[in-house]
Amino acid sequence: MNTKKIAFLTGITGQDGSYLAELLLDKGYVVHATMRRASTFNTERIEHIMEHERLHLHHGDITDPTNIMRLISEVKPDEIYNLAAQSHVAVSFEVPHYTAQVDATGTLTILEAMRAHCPNAKFYQASTSELYGGMEYNKNGYGVYNERSAFHPRSPYGVAKLYGFWIIKNYRESYGLFACNGILFNHESERRGKTFVTRKITTNMVQVQKGKRNVLTIGNLDAERDWGHAQEYVEGMWRMLQQDKAQDFILATGKTYKVRTFIEMTAKHLGWEIEWKGSGVEEKGYDKETGKLLVEVDPKYFRPAEVDRLIGDPAKAKEMLGWEAKIGLEELVERMVNYDLKHE
Ligand code: NAP
Ligand code: GDD
C-alpha cells in the first residue's frame, strides 16, 4: 500500500510509539512525531528508523499548548495518534498533578488544535483498561470488561485517562470530530519499559541468572492482567482510524494471568522451577532443585489502591476491525526472555 497520508504521532520514543511509527512508515505514511528534549538520549527504541526519509521528528511536549498548536497547524495531519502519557500507574500516585496535565489536559490540547487546524482529520486516543479498575464482580466472580462496562479508575493515572476518554467522546458528539478511544488492555514486548512488571521480571531474572543481581524484588504477586504483544496492538490502533465512523474499541486477548504465573513462566524459560514458600510479604520463591532464593516481596511496590484483575472482551474489535491478538503469554514471555538474554 502506498499512500501520501500524513500522520502526527505523540509518544514515538515509547514502546507503542516505536511500533506504530514502523507500521505507518511501512504503509507509506509521512510521519511527523514529537519527542521530548532529554539530558540523555531517549531514542533507543527508534534508532533504526531515525534516518527514514518520511519520518520528521519535532521537539514537543503535550503540556505545552503553543507547541502543539503550532505543530498541528504546520503539519495538518490526516491522522493523529496521541500515545504520549505519564503512563506508569504507581508513579501517578507520586506525581498526580503532572499526570493530570499530561494524560488529561494534554489530550484536550491536541483536540483543540485539531478542531482549529484539521477538523477533518482522524484522532486515536490511547485509552486504557485502567478505566475499569478491576472492581466489577458478577455471580461467577470478577467480570470480563467490554465497551459497555462501567468505569471505576483506581489511580491518578486512571482518573486522568478517564478525562481523556470523555473529552474525546465529547468532542465527537459536540463538534462531529472523528475521535476514538482505543481501550487497550496491557500489552508488553521486548521494548517494554523496565519498570513495568513484565519487563522488570524478565530483565531481573535474567540478571539473577547471569550473576548480576541477587534476587527479583516484587510487589503484588496475585494481581492479574490480560497481557498481549504491543506489536499486534498498534495494528488495531491503525484499523480504528480506517473505519467510516469513529467508535471506541477494546483491544485485549480475553485471557488473564497472575504476576506469579508470569514469574513462573520466565523462570521455566531460564531452566528453573519456582517453589513458593511463606505468605504475604514473607512469601519467597526458590529454585526447587537448588533451593536458591530467586524472588522476594517488598511492600514498597504495593499501590495505595490496586487493580486486582483485568480481563477484556475483544469481540467488537474482532467483528468490526478483523483484529485479534495471536501472540499468547507463552510466546510473549519467550520473546522477552530471549531478547533480555542477549541484551542484559
Ligand atoms: P511509554 O513506553 O511509557 O511511552 C510514553 C511516551 O509518551 C514516551 O514517548 C514519552 O516520552 C512520551 N511522553 C511522556 N510525557 C510526555 C509529554 N508531556 N509530552 C510528550 N510526550 C510525552 O508508554 P506505552 O506503553 O508505549 O503506552 C503508550 C500509550 O498507551 C500511553 O498513553 C499509555 O498510557 C497507553 N496505554 C498503554 C498500555 C500498555 O499496556 N502499554 C495499555 C493501555 C494504554 P519519553 O520517552 O521522553 O519519556
Ligand atoms: N510495575 C510494577 N512493579 N508492578 C508490579 C510489581 C512491581 O514490582 N509487583 C507487582 N506489580 C503489579 C502491579 O501492582 C499491578 O497490579 C501489575 O503488577 C501490573 O503493573 P504494571 O506492569 O506496572 O502495569 P499496570 O497494569 O499498572 O499499567 C499498565 O497497563 C495499563 C493498562 O491496563 C501501563 O502500561 C498503563 O499505562 C496501562 O494503561
PDB file of all heavy atoms in Angstrom, residues 6-10 20 24 29 32 68 72 75-83 110-111 113-115 118-119 121-125 178-180 237 241:
ATOM      1  N   ILE A   6      -0.626  11.817   5.893  1.00  0.00           N
ATOM      2  CA  ILE A   6       0.279  12.381   6.901  1.00  0.00           C
ATOM      3  C   ILE A   6      -0.250  12.020   8.288  1.00  0.00           C
ATOM      4  O   ILE A   6      -1.423  12.255   8.597  1.00  0.00           O
ATOM      5  CB  ILE A   6       0.347  13.919   6.767  1.00  0.00           C
ATOM      6  CG1 ILE A   6       0.887  14.290   5.385  1.00  0.00           C
ATOM      7  CG2 ILE A   6       1.208  14.528   7.871  1.00  0.00           C
ATOM      8  CD1 ILE A   6       0.811  15.776   5.073  1.00  0.00           C
ATOM      9  N   ALA A   7       0.641  11.435   9.098  1.00  0.00           N
ATOM     10  CA  ALA A   7       0.269  11.102  10.473  1.00  0.00           C
ATOM     11  C   ALA A   7       1.047  11.989  11.436  1.00  0.00           C
ATOM     12  O   ALA A   7       2.217  12.306  11.196  1.00  0.00           O
ATOM     13  CB  ALA A   7       0.562   9.635  10.757  1.00  0.00           C
ATOM     14  N   PHE A   8       0.385  12.372  12.514  1.00  0.00           N
ATOM     15  CA  PHE A   8       1.043  13.120  13.594  1.00  0.00           C
ATOM     16  C   PHE A   8       0.989  12.232  14.831  1.00  0.00           C
ATOM     17  O   PHE A   8      -0.079  11.791  15.248  1.00  0.00           O
ATOM     18  CB  PHE A   8       0.294  14.435  13.854  1.00  0.00           C
ATOM     19  CG  PHE A   8       0.907  15.270  14.948  1.00  0.00           C
ATOM     20  CD1 PHE A   8       2.053  16.011  14.721  1.00  0.00           C
ATOM     21  CD2 PHE A   8       0.318  15.332  16.213  1.00  0.00           C
ATOM     22  CE1 PHE A   8       2.627  16.794  15.725  1.00  0.00           C
ATOM     23  CE2 PHE A   8       0.881  16.113  17.219  1.00  0.00           C
ATOM     24  CZ  PHE A   8       2.035  16.850  16.967  1.00  0.00           C
ATOM     25  N   LEU A   9       2.146  11.948  15.390  1.00  0.00           N
ATOM     26  CA  LEU A   9       2.231  10.950  16.459  1.00  0.00           C
ATOM     27  C   LEU A   9       2.929  11.535  17.673  1.00  0.00           C
ATOM     28  O   LEU A   9       4.031  12.079  17.565  1.00  0.00           O
ATOM     29  CB  LEU A   9       3.006   9.746  15.892  1.00  0.00           C
ATOM     30  CG  LEU A   9       3.606   8.676  16.771  1.00  0.00           C
ATOM     31  CD1 LEU A   9       2.552   8.026  17.643  1.00  0.00           C
ATOM     32  CD2 LEU A   9       4.253   7.604  15.890  1.00  0.00           C
ATOM     33  N   THR A  10       2.281  11.448  18.831  1.00  0.00           N
ATOM     34  CA  THR A  10       2.963  11.818  20.078  1.00  0.00           C
ATOM     35  C   THR A  10       3.375  10.523  20.786  1.00  0.00           C
ATOM     36  O   THR A  10       2.679   9.515  20.690  1.00  0.00           O
ATOM     37  CB  THR A  10       2.060  12.650  21.017  1.00  0.00           C
ATOM     38  OG1 THR A  10       1.014  11.805  21.520  1.00  0.00           O
ATOM     39  CG2 THR A  10       1.470  13.857  20.314  1.00  0.00           C
ATOM     40  N   LEU A  20       4.278   1.717  16.320  1.00  0.00           N
ATOM     41  CA  LEU A  20       3.310   2.380  15.446  1.00  0.00           C
ATOM     42  C   LEU A  20       4.021   3.153  14.337  1.00  0.00           C
ATOM     43  O   LEU A  20       3.586   3.132  13.177  1.00  0.00           O
ATOM     44  CB  LEU A  20       2.403   3.315  16.258  1.00  0.00           C
ATOM     45  CG  LEU A  20       1.334   4.036  15.443  1.00  0.00           C
ATOM     46  CD1 LEU A  20       0.346   3.057  14.793  1.00  0.00           C
ATOM     47  CD2 LEU A  20       0.562   5.035  16.317  1.00  0.00           C
ATOM     48  N   LEU A  24       3.335   2.682  10.361  1.00  0.00           N
ATOM     49  CA  LEU A  24       2.878   3.773   9.490  1.00  0.00           C
ATOM     50  C   LEU A  24       3.873   4.009   8.358  1.00  0.00           C
ATOM     51  O   LEU A  24       3.475   4.241   7.207  1.00  0.00           O
ATOM     52  CB  LEU A  24       2.669   5.050  10.310  1.00  0.00           C
ATOM     53  CG  LEU A  24       1.525   4.993  11.342  1.00  0.00           C
ATOM     54  CD1 LEU A  24       1.546   6.235  12.238  1.00  0.00           C
ATOM     55  CD2 LEU A  24       0.164   4.864  10.657  1.00  0.00           C
ATOM     56  N   TYR A  29       3.040   6.139   4.958  1.00  0.00           N
ATOM     57  CA  TYR A  29       2.713   7.451   5.534  1.00  0.00           C
ATOM     58  C   TYR A  29       3.944   8.344   5.636  1.00  0.00           C
ATOM     59  O   TYR A  29       5.073   7.857   5.796  1.00  0.00           O
ATOM     60  CB  TYR A  29       2.191   7.287   6.972  1.00  0.00           C
ATOM     61  CG  TYR A  29       0.752   6.837   7.100  1.00  0.00           C
ATOM     62  CD1 TYR A  29       0.358   5.557   6.715  1.00  0.00           C
ATOM     63  CD2 TYR A  29      -0.207   7.683   7.642  1.00  0.00           C
ATOM     64  CE1 TYR A  29      -0.956   5.134   6.860  1.00  0.00           C
ATOM     65  CE2 TYR A  29      -1.519   7.277   7.790  1.00  0.00           C
ATOM     66  CZ  TYR A  29      -1.890   6.007   7.402  1.00  0.00           C
ATOM     67  OH  TYR A  29      -3.191   5.595   7.544  1.00  0.00           O
ATOM     68  N   HIS A  32       5.005  12.623  11.151  1.00  0.00           N
ATOM     69  CA  HIS A  32       5.561  13.697  11.970  1.00  0.00           C
ATOM     70  C   HIS A  32       5.356  13.293  13.423  1.00  0.00           C
ATOM     71  O   HIS A  32       4.233  12.940  13.806  1.00  0.00           O
ATOM     72  CB  HIS A  32       4.847  15.024  11.693  1.00  0.00           C
ATOM     73  CG  HIS A  32       5.188  15.597  10.355  1.00  0.00           C
ATOM     74  ND1 HIS A  32       6.167  16.534  10.186  1.00  0.00           N
ATOM     75  CD2 HIS A  32       4.676  15.332   9.119  1.00  0.00           C
ATOM     76  CE1 HIS A  32       6.258  16.850   8.895  1.00  0.00           C
ATOM     77  NE2 HIS A  32       5.364  16.121   8.223  1.00  0.00           N
ATOM     78  N   ILE A  68       2.028  22.459  20.588  1.00  0.00           N
ATOM     79  CA  ILE A  68       1.147  21.507  19.888  1.00  0.00           C
ATOM     80  C   ILE A  68       0.314  22.225  18.820  1.00  0.00           C
ATOM     81  O   ILE A  68       0.169  21.744  17.689  1.00  0.00           O
ATOM     82  CB  ILE A  68       0.239  20.766  20.910  1.00  0.00           C
ATOM     83  CG1 ILE A  68       1.107  19.914  21.858  1.00  0.00           C
ATOM     84  CG2 ILE A  68      -0.826  19.918  20.219  1.00  0.00           C
ATOM     85  CD1 ILE A  68       1.943  18.836  21.188  1.00  0.00           C
ATOM     86  N   ILE A  72       0.641  21.227  14.852  1.00  0.00           N
ATOM     87  CA  ILE A  72      -0.515  20.687  14.114  1.00  0.00           C
ATOM     88  C   ILE A  72      -0.949  21.650  13.012  1.00  0.00           C
ATOM     89  O   ILE A  72      -1.334  21.226  11.915  1.00  0.00           O
ATOM     90  CB  ILE A  72      -1.651  20.313  15.090  1.00  0.00           C
ATOM     91  CG1 ILE A  72      -1.210  19.055  15.856  1.00  0.00           C
ATOM     92  CG2 ILE A  72      -2.980  20.094  14.356  1.00  0.00           C
ATOM     93  CD1 ILE A  72      -2.228  18.395  16.730  1.00  0.00           C
ATOM     94  N   VAL A  75       1.707  20.959  10.244  1.00  0.00           N
ATOM     95  CA  VAL A  75       1.722  19.600   9.666  1.00  0.00           C
ATOM     96  C   VAL A  75       0.392  19.269   8.978  1.00  0.00           C
ATOM     97  O   VAL A  75       0.355  18.563   7.975  1.00  0.00           O
ATOM     98  CB  VAL A  75       2.042  18.565  10.784  1.00  0.00           C
ATOM     99  CG1 VAL A  75       1.782  17.140  10.321  1.00  0.00           C
ATOM    100  CG2 VAL A  75       3.471  18.733  11.269  1.00  0.00           C
ATOM    101  N   LYS A  76      -0.704  19.773   9.539  1.00  0.00           N
ATOM    102  CA  LYS A  76      -2.057  19.480   9.035  1.00  0.00           C
ATOM    103  C   LYS A  76      -2.236  17.983   8.719  1.00  0.00           C
ATOM    104  O   LYS A  76      -2.446  17.580   7.564  1.00  0.00           O
ATOM    105  CB  LYS A  76      -2.356  20.312   7.787  1.00  0.00           C
ATOM    106  CG  LYS A  76      -2.489  21.796   8.066  1.00  0.00           C
ATOM    107  CD  LYS A  76      -3.554  22.439   7.195  1.00  0.00           C
ATOM    108  CE  LYS A  76      -3.876  23.867   7.555  1.00  0.00           C
ATOM    109  NZ  LYS A  76      -2.933  24.624   8.352  1.00  0.00           N
ATOM    110  N   PRO A  77      -2.165  17.183   9.759  1.00  0.00           N
ATOM    111  CA  PRO A  77      -2.200  15.726   9.532  1.00  0.00           C
ATOM    112  C   PRO A  77      -3.571  15.202   9.115  1.00  0.00           C
ATOM    113  O   PRO A  77      -4.595  15.832   9.368  1.00  0.00           O
ATOM    114  CB  PRO A  77      -1.839  15.174  10.923  1.00  0.00           C
ATOM    115  CG  PRO A  77      -2.267  16.231  11.876  1.00  0.00           C
ATOM    116  CD  PRO A  77      -2.068  17.537  11.177  1.00  0.00           C
ATOM    117  N   ASP A  78      -3.547  14.021   8.479  1.00  0.00           N
ATOM    118  CA  ASP A  78      -4.785  13.288   8.200  1.00  0.00           C
ATOM    119  C   ASP A  78      -5.174  12.428   9.399  1.00  0.00           C
ATOM    120  O   ASP A  78      -6.339  12.151   9.628  1.00  0.00           O
ATOM    121  CB  ASP A  78      -4.581  12.358   6.990  1.00  0.00           C
ATOM    122  CG  ASP A  78      -4.183  13.130   5.748  1.00  0.00           C
ATOM    123  OD1 ASP A  78      -4.985  13.949   5.290  1.00  0.00           O
ATOM    124  OD2 ASP A  78      -3.039  12.928   5.269  1.00  0.00           O
ATOM    125  N   GLU A  79      -4.158  11.951  10.109  1.00  0.00           N
ATOM    126  CA  GLU A  79      -4.420  11.091  11.271  1.00  0.00           C
ATOM    127  C   GLU A  79      -3.536  11.543  12.428  1.00  0.00           C
ATOM    128  O   GLU A  79      -2.351  11.853  12.221  1.00  0.00           O
ATOM    129  CB  GLU A  79      -4.125   9.620  10.934  1.00  0.00           C
ATOM    130  CG  GLU A  79      -5.073   9.073   9.879  1.00  0.00           C
ATOM    131  CD  GLU A  79      -4.750   7.636   9.461  1.00  0.00           C
ATOM    132  OE1 GLU A  79      -3.886   6.992  10.104  1.00  0.00           O
ATOM    133  OE2 GLU A  79      -5.361   7.176   8.486  1.00  0.00           O
ATOM    134  N   ILE A  80      -4.120  11.555  13.627  1.00  0.00           N
ATOM    135  CA  ILE A  80      -3.379  11.939  14.830  1.00  0.00           C
ATOM    136  C   ILE A  80      -3.433  10.753  15.793  1.00  0.00           C
ATOM    137  O   ILE A  80      -4.516  10.211  16.052  1.00  0.00           O
ATOM    138  CB  ILE A  80      -4.026  13.173  15.500  1.00  0.00           C
ATOM    139  CG1 ILE A  80      -3.961  14.389  14.569  1.00  0.00           C
ATOM    140  CG2 ILE A  80      -3.363  13.470  16.848  1.00  0.00           C
ATOM    141  CD1 ILE A  80      -4.747  15.595  15.065  1.00  0.00           C
ATOM    142  N   TYR A  81      -2.291  10.366  16.291  1.00  0.00           N
ATOM    143  CA  TYR A  81      -2.231   9.287  17.290  1.00  0.00           C
ATOM    144  C   TYR A  81      -1.630   9.873  18.560  1.00  0.00           C
ATOM    145  O   TYR A  81      -0.448  10.222  18.582  1.00  0.00           O
ATOM    146  CB  TYR A  81      -1.350   8.133  16.793  1.00  0.00           C
ATOM    147  CG  TYR A  81      -1.898   7.428  15.572  1.00  0.00           C
ATOM    148  CD1 TYR A  81      -1.623   7.922  14.287  1.00  0.00           C
ATOM    149  CD2 TYR A  81      -2.692   6.286  15.684  1.00  0.00           C
ATOM    150  CE1 TYR A  81      -2.122   7.288  13.149  1.00  0.00           C
ATOM    151  CE2 TYR A  81      -3.190   5.644  14.547  1.00  0.00           C
ATOM    152  CZ  TYR A  81      -2.902   6.146  13.292  1.00  0.00           C
ATOM    153  OH  TYR A  81      -3.393   5.515  12.171  1.00  0.00           O
ATOM    154  N   ASN A  82      -2.446   9.980  19.611  1.00  0.00           N
ATOM    155  CA  ASN A  82      -1.933  10.535  20.864  1.00  0.00           C
ATOM    156  C   ASN A  82      -1.546   9.418  21.826  1.00  0.00           C
ATOM    157  O   ASN A  82      -2.372   8.906  22.591  1.00  0.00           O
ATOM    158  CB  ASN A  82      -2.970  11.441  21.526  1.00  0.00           C
ATOM    159  CG  ASN A  82      -2.432  12.004  22.829  1.00  0.00           C
ATOM    160  OD1 ASN A  82      -1.223  12.219  22.970  1.00  0.00           O
ATOM    161  ND2 ASN A  82      -3.305  12.234  23.803  1.00  0.00           N
ATOM    162  N   LEU A  83      -0.274   9.047  21.765  1.00  0.00           N
ATOM    163  CA  LEU A  83       0.228   7.982  22.645  1.00  0.00           C
ATOM    164  C   LEU A  83       1.027   8.548  23.816  1.00  0.00           C
ATOM    165  O   LEU A  83       1.410   7.807  24.721  1.00  0.00           O
ATOM    166  CB  LEU A  83       1.129   7.013  21.862  1.00  0.00           C
ATOM    167  CG  LEU A  83       0.556   6.395  20.594  1.00  0.00           C
ATOM    168  CD1 LEU A  83       1.460   5.291  20.089  1.00  0.00           C
ATOM    169  CD2 LEU A  83      -0.837   5.844  20.826  1.00  0.00           C
ATOM    170  N   ILE A 110      -4.569  18.676  22.247  1.00  0.00           N
ATOM    171  CA  ILE A 110      -4.448  18.148  20.878  1.00  0.00           C
ATOM    172  C   ILE A 110      -5.799  18.220  20.166  1.00  0.00           C
ATOM    173  O   ILE A 110      -5.884  18.558  18.982  1.00  0.00           O
ATOM    174  CB  ILE A 110      -3.887  16.713  20.890  1.00  0.00           C
ATOM    175  CG1 ILE A 110      -2.536  16.687  21.616  1.00  0.00           C
ATOM    176  CG2 ILE A 110      -3.718  16.189  19.471  1.00  0.00           C
ATOM    177  CD1 ILE A 110      -1.989  15.311  21.855  1.00  0.00           C
ATOM    178  N   LEU A 111      -6.869  17.930  20.900  1.00  0.00           N
ATOM    179  CA  LEU A 111      -8.206  18.030  20.299  1.00  0.00           C
ATOM    180  C   LEU A 111      -8.497  19.457  19.854  1.00  0.00           C
ATOM    181  O   LEU A 111      -9.059  19.685  18.770  1.00  0.00           O
ATOM    182  CB  LEU A 111      -9.267  17.605  21.319  1.00  0.00           C
ATOM    183  CG  LEU A 111      -9.541  16.118  21.458  1.00  0.00           C
ATOM    184  CD1 LEU A 111     -10.454  15.876  22.656  1.00  0.00           C
ATOM    185  CD2 LEU A 111     -10.177  15.543  20.195  1.00  0.00           C
ATOM    186  N   ALA A 113      -6.339  21.728  19.022  1.00  0.00           N
ATOM    187  CA  ALA A 113      -5.507  22.025  17.842  1.00  0.00           C
ATOM    188  C   ALA A 113      -6.127  21.397  16.593  1.00  0.00           C
ATOM    189  O   ALA A 113      -6.164  22.006  15.528  1.00  0.00           O
ATOM    190  CB  ALA A 113      -4.088  21.489  18.072  1.00  0.00           C
ATOM    191  N   MET A 114      -6.645  20.191  16.749  1.00  0.00           N
ATOM    192  CA  MET A 114      -7.291  19.509  15.615  1.00  0.00           C
ATOM    193  C   MET A 114      -8.538  20.284  15.178  1.00  0.00           C
ATOM    194  O   MET A 114      -8.770  20.510  13.985  1.00  0.00           O
ATOM    195  CB  MET A 114      -7.668  18.085  16.045  1.00  0.00           C
ATOM    196  CG  MET A 114      -8.517  17.318  15.049  1.00  0.00           C
ATOM    197  SD  MET A 114      -8.840  15.673  15.738  1.00  0.00           S
ATOM    198  CE  MET A 114     -10.036  15.035  14.575  1.00  0.00           C
ATOM    199  N   ARG A 115      -9.333  20.705  16.148  1.00  0.00           N
ATOM    200  CA  ARG A 115     -10.569  21.443  15.835  1.00  0.00           C
ATOM    201  C   ARG A 115     -10.250  22.727  15.079  1.00  0.00           C
ATOM    202  O   ARG A 115     -10.952  23.102  14.145  1.00  0.00           O
ATOM    203  CB  ARG A 115     -11.307  21.760  17.144  1.00  0.00           C
ATOM    204  CG  ARG A 115     -12.706  22.289  16.934  1.00  0.00           C
ATOM    205  CD  ARG A 115     -13.524  22.089  18.184  1.00  0.00           C
ATOM    206  NE  ARG A 115     -13.250  23.073  19.203  1.00  0.00           N
ATOM    207  CZ  ARG A 115     -13.938  24.206  19.370  1.00  0.00           C
ATOM    208  NH1 ARG A 115     -14.937  24.488  18.554  1.00  0.00           N
ATOM    209  NH2 ARG A 115     -13.648  25.035  20.339  1.00  0.00           N
ATOM    210  N   CYS A 118      -7.283  21.134  11.673  1.00  0.00           N
ATOM    211  CA  CYS A 118      -7.517  19.993  10.756  1.00  0.00           C
ATOM    212  C   CYS A 118      -8.753  19.218  11.224  1.00  0.00           C
ATOM    213  O   CYS A 118      -8.658  18.053  11.600  1.00  0.00           O
ATOM    214  CB  CYS A 118      -6.286  19.086  10.674  1.00  0.00           C
ATOM    215  SG  CYS A 118      -5.665  18.519  12.269  1.00  0.00           S
ATOM    216  N   PRO A 119      -9.930  19.871  11.197  1.00  0.00           N
ATOM    217  CA  PRO A 119     -11.138  19.244  11.755  1.00  0.00           C
ATOM    218  C   PRO A 119     -11.578  17.978  11.026  1.00  0.00           C
ATOM    219  O   PRO A 119     -12.373  17.208  11.562  1.00  0.00           O
ATOM    220  CB  PRO A 119     -12.193  20.359  11.627  1.00  0.00           C
ATOM    221  CG  PRO A 119     -11.654  21.291  10.596  1.00  0.00           C
ATOM    222  CD  PRO A 119     -10.168  21.218  10.676  1.00  0.00           C
ATOM    223  N   ALA A 121      -9.456  15.613  10.198  1.00  0.00           N
ATOM    224  CA  ALA A 121      -8.501  14.536  10.498  1.00  0.00           C
ATOM    225  C   ALA A 121      -9.180  13.465  11.365  1.00  0.00           C
ATOM    226  O   ALA A 121     -10.316  13.634  11.812  1.00  0.00           O
ATOM    227  CB  ALA A 121      -7.286  15.117  11.220  1.00  0.00           C
ATOM    228  N   LYS A 122      -8.472  12.356  11.584  1.00  0.00           N
ATOM    229  CA  LYS A 122      -8.960  11.301  12.476  1.00  0.00           C
ATOM    230  C   LYS A 122      -8.014  11.197  13.668  1.00  0.00           C
ATOM    231  O   LYS A 122      -6.793  11.276  13.497  1.00  0.00           O
ATOM    232  CB  LYS A 122      -9.028   9.972  11.721  1.00  0.00           C
ATOM    233  CG  LYS A 122     -10.068   9.989  10.604  1.00  0.00           C
ATOM    234  CD  LYS A 122     -10.124   8.653   9.877  1.00  0.00           C
ATOM    235  CE  LYS A 122     -11.345   8.585   8.960  1.00  0.00           C
ATOM    236  NZ  LYS A 122     -11.474   7.260   8.329  1.00  0.00           N
ATOM    237  N   PHE A 123      -8.572  11.022  14.850  1.00  0.00           N
ATOM    238  CA  PHE A 123      -7.791  11.084  16.097  1.00  0.00           C
ATOM    239  C   PHE A 123      -7.902   9.756  16.842  1.00  0.00           C
ATOM    240  O   PHE A 123      -9.021   9.296  17.139  1.00  0.00           O
ATOM    241  CB  PHE A 123      -8.364  12.225  16.957  1.00  0.00           C
ATOM    242  CG  PHE A 123      -7.570  12.586  18.198  1.00  0.00           C
ATOM    243  CD1 PHE A 123      -7.226  13.913  18.442  1.00  0.00           C
ATOM    244  CD2 PHE A 123      -7.194  11.640  19.133  1.00  0.00           C
ATOM    245  CE1 PHE A 123      -6.518  14.283  19.587  1.00  0.00           C
ATOM    246  CE2 PHE A 123      -6.482  11.989  20.274  1.00  0.00           C
ATOM    247  CZ  PHE A 123      -6.150  13.312  20.500  1.00  0.00           C
ATOM    248  N   TYR A 124      -6.756   9.163  17.164  1.00  0.00           N
ATOM    249  CA  TYR A 124      -6.727   7.977  18.024  1.00  0.00           C
ATOM    250  C   TYR A 124      -6.217   8.374  19.400  1.00  0.00           C
ATOM    251  O   TYR A 124      -5.127   8.962  19.522  1.00  0.00           O
ATOM    252  CB  TYR A 124      -5.786   6.890  17.447  1.00  0.00           C
ATOM    253  CG  TYR A 124      -5.610   5.750  18.431  1.00  0.00           C
ATOM    254  CD1 TYR A 124      -6.522   4.700  18.481  1.00  0.00           C
ATOM    255  CD2 TYR A 124      -4.559   5.748  19.344  1.00  0.00           C
ATOM    256  CE1 TYR A 124      -6.396   3.682  19.417  1.00  0.00           C
ATOM    257  CE2 TYR A 124      -4.424   4.733  20.285  1.00  0.00           C
ATOM    258  CZ  TYR A 124      -5.343   3.703  20.318  1.00  0.00           C
ATOM    259  OH  TYR A 124      -5.225   2.710  21.252  1.00  0.00           O
ATOM    260  N   GLN A 125      -6.988   8.058  20.426  1.00  0.00           N
ATOM    261  CA  GLN A 125      -6.567   8.337  21.808  1.00  0.00           C
ATOM    262  C   GLN A 125      -6.189   7.036  22.506  1.00  0.00           C
ATOM    263  O   GLN A 125      -6.961   6.066  22.506  1.00  0.00           O
ATOM    264  CB  GLN A 125      -7.708   9.046  22.561  1.00  0.00           C
ATOM    265  CG  GLN A 125      -7.559   9.090  24.073  1.00  0.00           C
ATOM    266  CD  GLN A 125      -6.357   9.909  24.565  1.00  0.00           C
ATOM    267  OE1 GLN A 125      -5.655  10.549  23.789  1.00  0.00           O
ATOM    268  NE2 GLN A 125      -6.099   9.861  25.857  1.00  0.00           N
ATOM    269  N   PHE A 178     -13.852  13.167  14.139  1.00  0.00           N
ATOM    270  CA  PHE A 178     -13.577  11.729  14.139  1.00  0.00           C
ATOM    271  C   PHE A 178     -12.515  11.492  15.210  1.00  0.00           C
ATOM    272  O   PHE A 178     -11.323  11.709  14.978  1.00  0.00           O
ATOM    273  CB  PHE A 178     -13.066  11.278  12.768  1.00  0.00           C
ATOM    274  CG  PHE A 178     -12.964   9.771  12.644  1.00  0.00           C
ATOM    275  CD1 PHE A 178     -13.807   9.064  11.790  1.00  0.00           C
ATOM    276  CD2 PHE A 178     -12.032   9.057  13.405  1.00  0.00           C
ATOM    277  CE1 PHE A 178     -13.718   7.677  11.689  1.00  0.00           C
ATOM    278  CE2 PHE A 178     -11.944   7.676  13.305  1.00  0.00           C
ATOM    279  CZ  PHE A 178     -12.789   6.993  12.441  1.00  0.00           C
ATOM    280  N   ALA A 179     -12.984  11.129  16.399  1.00  0.00           N
ATOM    281  CA  ALA A 179     -12.048  10.913  17.513  1.00  0.00           C
ATOM    282  C   ALA A 179     -12.465   9.643  18.224  1.00  0.00           C
ATOM    283  O   ALA A 179     -13.641   9.495  18.576  1.00  0.00           O
ATOM    284  CB  ALA A 179     -12.088  12.099  18.468  1.00  0.00           C
ATOM    285  N   CYS A 180     -11.538   8.718  18.395  1.00  0.00           N
ATOM    286  CA  CYS A 180     -11.929   7.468  19.044  1.00  0.00           C
ATOM    287  C   CYS A 180     -10.934   7.031  20.107  1.00  0.00           C
ATOM    288  O   CYS A 180      -9.759   7.372  20.073  1.00  0.00           O
ATOM    289  CB  CYS A 180     -12.160   6.364  18.023  1.00  0.00           C
ATOM    290  SG  CYS A 180     -10.735   5.936  17.088  1.00  0.00           S
ATOM    291  N   MET A 237      -4.803  -0.116  16.535  1.00  0.00           N
ATOM    292  CA  MET A 237      -4.968   1.358  16.594  1.00  0.00           C
ATOM    293  C   MET A 237      -5.217   1.906  15.192  1.00  0.00           C
ATOM    294  O   MET A 237      -6.116   2.701  14.958  1.00  0.00           O
ATOM    295  CB  MET A 237      -3.689   2.024  17.135  1.00  0.00           C
ATOM    296  CG  MET A 237      -3.321   1.678  18.548  1.00  0.00           C
ATOM    297  SD  MET A 237      -1.698   2.435  18.942  1.00  0.00           S
ATOM    298  CE  MET A 237      -1.393   1.704  20.540  1.00  0.00           C
ATOM    299  N   LEU A 241      -8.770   3.831  12.921  1.00  0.00           N
ATOM    300  CA  LEU A 241      -8.860   5.080  12.152  1.00  0.00           C
ATOM    301  C   LEU A 241      -9.200   4.828  10.679  1.00  0.00           C
ATOM    302  O   LEU A 241      -9.397   5.789   9.931  1.00  0.00           O
ATOM    303  CB  LEU A 241      -7.561   5.879  12.258  1.00  0.00           C
ATOM    304  CG  LEU A 241      -7.189   6.401  13.644  1.00  0.00           C
ATOM    305  CD1 LEU A 241      -6.206   7.567  13.547  1.00  0.00           C
ATOM    306  CD2 LEU A 241      -8.405   6.845  14.457  1.00  0.00           C
TER     307      LEU A 241
END
